[in-house]
Structure formats: structure tokens, C-alpha cells
Amino acid sequence: LKETVIPSRILFEQLKKEAEETNKVELSPEQAMYWRCLVQYFVEHKNHDALEQILPNITEFCELMIQYKGQEEDFIVQQLLILAQHLDYADEVGRRNMKKLLCKFLVTFDEAETHVTELIKALVVVEISEDELRNSIVNAVEELVAQMNEIILYTSTADLMRDDDEDDVDDEDKKVITT
């Protein structure tokens, strides 16, 4: 078991070193999956010491999630969202930051359905109470509805303007034909 912790710790330290040098982490899909599987293994075997060694603090983790969402790396983001369910949320500031990030992800993913399950599972872990969880989800849904209404209004307005332009052209055609 210790042999497994050492390579994963080396992996995380290597990722941190890359981040310091290049200002971003290069996490491959294989590394993300390995990291997720390793964390799940330690969770199943209740090896909390190993988890502490291989999981970053919440703030670092949030930055990593933002980086990969921005790159539209769906598989890596999915692995990170699963990992988010196992972070230590004793840090209240980190917990709130993760909550904001997860709620933002719920309403900003281009294809949110790809990650809804992982997002909700992570929110369940992050939220202190069932009421807060419900409020977070309701707020996200309300924001999505507002965005959808804006799109519908914009589309309807564009259609009306296009119809008016077509009517103007038809009137001009009739004048040309009658003259």
C-alpha cells in the first residue's frame, strides 16, 4: 500500500512543480483516471493518511477544475468532479469556494448533462444541510431558466425583425410589379 502512495504523491508533486513553472498543470486523461481510482481505493479501504498525502487543498483543486473546464477536457473534468467528492471540506472558505464553483459549473457547461451526476454528487458532499443543497440546485435551475428565457426572447425578436424585413421586401416587389 505504501508503494502505491509514493508514486501518486510523486505524481501530485510533479504536477505542482509544473504548475509553479508554467502557471498551469498538465494532467493527462490517464493521470486523472489513475488519481481518481487511487483515491476511491483509499476511500474504500479507509486509508485517510494516504488520502491526505495525495489530495490537494480545496483552493488548489478548484483552480485545477477551472483550468480543465476552460480547456473543455470533459473526461478530465469528470474525473476531477468525482475526486471533489472526497476532498476534506473542514476548511470553510475552501468549502464555500467549491460550492460556488460547482454551482457555476451547473449553469455554464456547454453540455452540462455530461457532468450533472458528478456535479450533484459533489454538491451533496459540499453542502452542510439538505436545505442548502436544495437552495443551491433551485438557484441554478432558476438561473438556467432565466438564460433560456433570454435566448427565447432574443430568438423571437430576431424572427420578428426578419419577418418585418421580408414583409417590406414583399411590399416593394408588389410596387415594382404593379408599376
Side-chain angles (χ1 to χ4, degrees):
L1 196 59
K2 286 185 179 183
E3 295 168 6
T4 308
V5 175
I6 293 170
S8 61
R9 187 65 188 170
I10 291 170
L11 169 66
F12 184 67
E13 291 302 322
Q14 178 185 359
L15 293 173
K16 281 178 78 171
K17 183 179 177 186
E18 285 177 18
E20 290 169 0
E21 292 172 0
T22 64
N23 214 17
K24 69 177 188 173
V25 175
E26 294 297 328
L27 185 64
S28 71
E30 293 83 6
Q31 289 172 320
M33 184 174 180
Y34 170 73
W35 196 13
R36 189 238 338 138
C37 289
L38 194 59
V39 166
Q40 288 178 323
Y41 175 83
F42 290 143
V43 167
E44 288 172 15
H45 290 86
K46 297 177 178 40
N47 189 339
H48 302 289
D49 293 335
L51 282 172
E52 281 183 32
Q53 288 184 12
I54 65 170
L55 287 174
N57 68 48
I58 299 169
T59 303
E60 292 173 333
F61 195 80
C62 287
E63 291 169 5
L64 192 63
M65 288 178 58
I66 290 167
Q67 175 186 330
Y68 281 95
K69 183 200 176 279
Q71 295 176 6
E72 297 183 15
E73 292 282 350
D74 284 339
F75 182 78
I76 294 174
V77 171
Q78 182 182 35
Q79 301 306 301
L80 293 174
L81 286 169
I82 294 168
L83 282 169
Q85 299 168 37
H86 304 291
L87 295 174
D88 180 7
Y89 289 104
D91 170 22
E92 183 62 25
V93 173
R95 186 191 70 77
R96 275 189 255 136
N97 288 338
M98 180 62 81
K99 174 187 168 181
K100 287 178 191 173
L101 181 64
L102 293 172
C103 289
K104 181 180 175 187
F105 278 14
L106 269 175
V107 296
T108 60
F109 267 111
D110 291 335
E111 296 180 27
E113 66 274 5
T114 307
H115 301 294
V116 168
T117 302
E118 289 83 13
L119 283 164
I120 298 298
K121 285 181 179 179
L123 265 174
V124 166
V125 173
V126 171
E127 289 294 5
I128 294 175
S129 70
E130 204 172 295
D131 287 338
E132 282 191 31
L133 174 64
R134 191 176 308 111
N135 288 338
S136 293
I137 293 171
V138 166
N139 290 338
V141 169
E142 286 173 351
E143 190 170 333
L144 284 170
V145 168
Q147 289 175 9
M148 186 179 69
N149 286 337
E150 285 179 29
I151 291 169
I152 290 170
L153 179 63
Y154 175 77
T155 305
S156 298
T157 304
D159 288 344
L160 285 172
M161 291 175 68
R162 190 174 30 247
D163 288 345
D164 286 347
D165 289 344
E166 288 174 6
D167 289 344
D168 291 344
V169 170
D170 288 344
D171 290 342
E172 289 175 18
D173 288 343
K174 288 177 187 176
K175 288 178 186 176
V176 170
I177 292 172
T178 57
T179 0

